[in-house]
Amino acid sequence: MESLKKNKEFKKVYENGKSYATRNLVIYCLDYEKGKKNRYGLSVSKKIGNAVVRNKLKRRLREIIREFEKEKVFKGYDIIFIARQPVVQLDYQGLKRDVKKLYKKMNII
């Protein structure tokens, strides 16, 4: 899984990409180049919780992304996940369900 690291990359997706939201997550998606690997960025604010909570959420999101990458073949996107406050109450399956909903809204699965 490749990641978005630079502020410039994040800004490009925020400004030019489309956003989709559920109660717990927001996703920004930008179609950048067909055939290349997807690049992901995870944004979890300090409002979500302490470092332990934030890192646990990021680990879960990374694993869910890996699972979807194995199953579905969609390439060439820059994708940013932004966590909202209620996400803390979700278990792994609930988070996976939310990510799936967002992917469906994006019409990539």
Side-chain angles (χ1 to χ4, degrees):
M1 178 178 101
E2 290 187 32
S3 60
L4 298 170
K5 291 186 176 82
K6 297 188 173 152
N7 191 22
K8 181 174 69 173
E9 296 170 334
F10 273 83
K11 279 185 179 175
K12 185 178 175 187
V13 177
Y14 286 136
E15 289 168 6
N16 304 319
K18 290 189 175 177
S19 70
Y20 305 90
T22 62
R23 185 167 176 260
N24 305 298
L25 290 170
V26 178
I27 191 171
Y28 279 85
C29 176
L30 179 64
D31 191 355
Y32 79 101
E33 197 175 325
K34 288 289 178 203
K36 288 208 172 182
K37 284 187 175 179
N38 293 328
R39 299 185 306 177
Y40 294 92
L42 303 176
S43 176
V44 183
S45 168
K46 285 186 177 180
K47 292 178 187 175
I48 301 295
N50 63 20
V52 175
V53 172
R54 295 193 310 269
N55 286 330
K56 182 179 180 182
L57 178 60
K58 287 191 276 190
R59 283 194 308 269
R60 284 180 172 180
L61 276 171
R62 272 190 228 106
E63 184 55 33
I64 290 167
I65 290 166
R66 256 185 229 113
E67 284 181 27
F68 277 107
E69 287 273 319
K70 272 188 227 167
E71 295 171 17
K72 312 287 187 269
V73 180
F74 57 93
K75 294 187 183 216
Y77 289 95
D78 282 349
I79 299 171
I80 298 175
F81 285 94
I82 303 169
R84 287 182 169 172
Q85 185 60 43
V87 78
V88 189
Q89 292 137 6
L90 286 180
D91 61 344
Y92 181 81
Q93 293 304 320
L95 194 57
K96 189 172 181 179
R97 205 172 23 249
D98 248 27
V99 172
K100 191 173 186 174
K101 270 185 210 170
L102 286 169
Y103 279 163
K104 281 183 179 174
K105 281 184 179 181
M106 289 170 50
N107 291 323
I108 57 175
I109 61 166

